[in-house]
Amino acid sequence: MSSDFKTISDIFQGEIVEKKSRFIATIAPASTEEEAVDFIKEMKKKYWDARHNCSAYILGTTQQVMHSSDDGEPSGTAGKPILNVLSGNNLYDVVCVVTRYFGGTLLGTGGLVRAYTKAVEECLSNAVLKEMVYASQLRIKASYNDVGKLQYMFAQKEAVILSSDYTDSVVFTLLISEDRKDELIKAVSEATQNKADVEVTETGFFEI
């Protein structure tokens, strides 16, 4: 399983011009193939007068689904370059459509690959990416006497404290990367002489 990846939570756009041809790249989040296909249809409807609406999408945290379309451009000159930029940036659960308004000058296969690549890169430079990491959420209940050493330990293990609840005892809720979870649990047990109550409440991908 992938340890981390990037995704987006909104729609972003970027545009370039090559020899009077306009390339408008639009990227959006998509968690299912249906969502990706619907977005591509939406862009084709929005830019109905464009010569081409080429696209690509990557779904799943292990790239379970990867698809691209040249939409009438020479084979391999549009969809694949779009897909390569998404994959090269470790992006998942995203769909990208690059709309081309033909400017009257042929770019050639190499020129098309460069233009579609550049359009997606321009789009990503405008996008806000979310870093996702495979981690565990822990609930740790401990004595006030152990708070200082635990907070220091959390920092050393690069755990993210989500909340601290101070009542008759202290309850920390935190995130720790899955590959350091057991290491942290062992350290907490040793530091508190097995007095702390440690519970794994959730494991999955979290935004950091």
Side-chain angles (χ1 to χ4, degrees), residues 53-148:
N53 283 286
C54 307
S55 60
Y57 54 82
I58 298 178
L59 308 176
T61 56
T62 55
Q63 298 186 334
Q64 291 96 320
V65 179
M66 300 177 70
H67 177 81
S68 64
S69 168
D70 293 311
D71 194 40
E73 292 281 32
S75 178
T77 62
K80 188 175 180 181
I82 298 170
L83 186 65
N84 287 344
V85 176
L86 299 180
S87 178
N89 281 274
N90 202 27
L91 280 166
Y92 300 79
D93 285 345
V94 293
V95 54
C96 183
V97 177
V98 180
T99 302
R100 181 190 182 191
Y101 284 94
F102 184 55
T105 302
L106 296 175
L107 300 181
T109 56
L112 286 173
V113 169
R114 287 190 294 273
Y116 279 100
T117 297
K118 187 177 175 182
V120 182
E121 290 173 343
E122 175 65 20
C123 181
L124 290 181
S125 73
N126 298 327
V128 177
L129 305 182
K130 297 196 305 180
E131 297 272 355
M132 307 295 289
V133 63
Y134 193 66
S136 286
Q137 183 172 292
L138 302 183
R139 179 182 180 276
I140 299 177
K141 185 178 181 180
S143 163
Y144 276 85
N145 295 331
D146 295 321
V147 168

Side-chain angles (χ1 to χ4, degrees), residues 34-46:
E34 182 179 10
E35 287 181 6
V37 171
D38 285 348
F39 180 75
I40 293 169
K41 289 178 180 177
E42 180 185 333
M43 290 298 99
K44 286 186 174 183
K45 184 177 180 180
K46 179 178 180 179

